[in-house]
Amino acid sequence: MRSVLPIVTVVCAIFVLWYAAAIWLNAAWAHDKATRSGETLTTQTLIADTWSQEKPKLPAPHQVAAEIWQTTVEKKITSKRSLIYHSWITLSATLLGFALGTALGIALAVGIVYNRTMDMSVMPWVIASQTIPILAIAPMIIVVLNAVGISGLLPKAMISMYLSFFPVVVGMVKGLRSPERMQLDQMHTWNASPHQTFWRLRLPSSMPYLFTSLKIAMAASLVGAIVGELPTGAIAGLGARLLAGSYYGQTIQIWSALIMAAALAATLVAIIGVIQRVTLKRMGMV
C-alpha cells in the first residue's frame, strides 16, 4: 500500500486537474453557443456542455477513453480507423530504428573506449548531433532517401535510429569505463588480452548502464517514428493520426493517438525492464 497509494493519489490529482482544465478551456465555446441561442447557462449545464463537445479545445478524459475504446475494441485490427493498426505501423519503424540505433551506439561506444582518436573526434560529434532539432532533420532525410529510391519503412527507421543511438553511446561509454583501476590491473596480472578484458570485465560491468540507456533509446525511437510520419504525409501510423486530427480539428482523435503512443512506449520500456531484471539476476548483479 505504501507504493500504490502515492501513485493512485497522483493519478486522481491529474484527472481532477484535467476535468477542471476542460471546463476552463471549453467554456468560451459553450457561452458563445448559449448567447447565439438565447439561453442562460447554469453551472450544471456548463459543465455538461464542456465535457461533451464534439471538437473541444481540451477533451475530457471520458471522451478520450471512449474514442480509444471505439478505435481498438470496436474496430477490426485491419481497419484503417483502428488504433491498433496504426500502432503496428509505428511500432515496426520504432523497432527497426531501435535495433539500428542500438547496434550503431554499441559499435561507436566500443570504438570510443578503445581508440583515443575516436574518443577525441567522434564523441564531440555524437553530442553535437543531438543539438539539431529532429523536426529540421526529418524532412531532409525523407527527401534524400526518396531521391535514391528508398521509401516506406526505412526512412522512418533512420529517423528513429538518429534519436535512439545517442543514449546508447553515452551509456555504453560510461559502462565500459566503469571497472575500477584495480580490476583492470588484476586482468593485466592474469595476462588477459584486450579481447578477454572486454568480454569478461568491461561488457558485464556495462550491463546496468546499457539497459538504462535502452529504456531511453526505446522511448526516443518511438518519438522518431512518429516524427518521421509527419513530413511524408503518411496515411498510416500514429503520426498520421495526429496529422489528420490536426487538419480537421479532431482534438479527441489527437489525444487518443497521444495516449496510445504513451501506452505503447510504456509497454516497450516495461519489456526492457523485465529483460533487465532477468539478465542481471542471472549475472548475479541483483
Side-chain angles (χ1 to χ4, degrees):
M1 287 300 296
R2 285 199 301 266
S3 60
V4 174
L5 184 59
I7 297 175
V8 173
T9 302
V10 172
V11 171
C12 290
I14 290 174
F15 275 103
V16 169
L17 292 174
W18 190 345
Y19 273 110
I23 297 174
W24 176 47
L25 292 174
N26 301 331
W29 176 246
H31 284 296
D32 184 60
K33 287 194 300 180
T35 300
R36 285 187 279 110
S37 61
E39 299 177 357
T40 301
L41 285 177
T42 63
T43 302
Q44 184 176 357
T45 56
L46 174 64
I47 294 175
D49 187 280
T50 54
W51 288 354
S52 61
Q53 293 177 5
E54 184 178 352
K55 295 183 178 181
K57 287 185 177 180
L58 177 63
H62 65 270
Q63 291 180 290
V64 178
E67 175 70 13
I68 293 175
W69 177 268
Q70 292 172 4
T71 53
T72 53
V73 179
E74 297 183 0
K75 296 290 182 183
K76 293 182 178 179
I77 296 178
T78 55
S79 172
K80 298 297 179 64
R81 298 189 62 186
S82 170
L83 269 181
I84 298 177
Y85 168 79
H86 290 286
S87 297
W88 167 249
I89 299 297
T90 301
L91 178 62
S92 59
T94 298
L95 295 179
L96 179 57
F98 174 74
L100 294 174
T102 300
L104 176 62
I106 294 175
L108 288 177
V110 172
I112 289 170
V113 170
Y114 281 93
N115 189 293
R116 180 167 176 77
T117 302
M118 286 191 65
D119 186 16
M120 301 297 292
S121 60
V122 175
M123 194 60 182
W125 170 81
V126 170
I127 296 173
S129 68
Q130 300 304 301
T131 63
I132 304 173
I134 188 62
L135 289 175
I137 296 178
M140 292 188 290
I141 295 176
I142 298 297
V143 170
V144 170
L145 292 180
N146 281 337
V148 296
I150 301 176
S151 60
L153 180 63
L154 188 57
K156 293 189 294 183
M158 294 293 290
I159 297 171
S160 295
M161 180 190 72
Y162 178 82
L163 286 181
S164 63
F165 90 98
F166 175 73
V168 178
V169 173
V170 175
M172 279 300 290
V173 168
K174 180 66 176 178
L176 293 174
R177 288 174 174 171
S178 63
E180 298 179 358
R181 188 66 193 177
M182 185 180 297
Q183 294 173 313
L184 295 172
D185 289 341
Q186 187 175 22
M187 296 297 291
H188 284 306
T189 61
W190 291 341
N191 197 29
S193 65
H195 182 270
Q196 292 173 320
T197 301
F198 174 79
W199 287 105
R200 299 181 183 181
L201 177 60
R202 290 189 183 274
L203 187 61
S205 299
S206 69
M207 285 297 103
Y209 298 88
L210 174 61
F211 281 109
T212 301
S213 301
L214 291 181
K215 293 177 182 179
I216 301 173
M218 180 61 80
S221 181
L222 179 62
V223 173
I226 293 174
V227 171
E229 292 168 350
L230 300 180
T232 61
I235 60 174
L238 295 177
R241 291 284 291 180
L242 293 172
L243 199 60
S246 177
Y247 283 157
Y248 301 107
Q250 298 290 343
T251 52
I252 299 178
Q253 177 179 311
I254 293 174
W255 276 81
S256 64
L258 289 173
I259 297 298
M260 194 68 177
L264 182 60
T267 302
L268 294 173
V269 172
I271 292 173
I272 295 177
V274 172
I275 297 173
Q276 176 184 8
R277 286 193 294 271
V278 173
T279 302
L280 297 184
K281 185 177 181 180
R282 290 180 64 87
M283 294 176 66
M285 293 185 178
V286 178

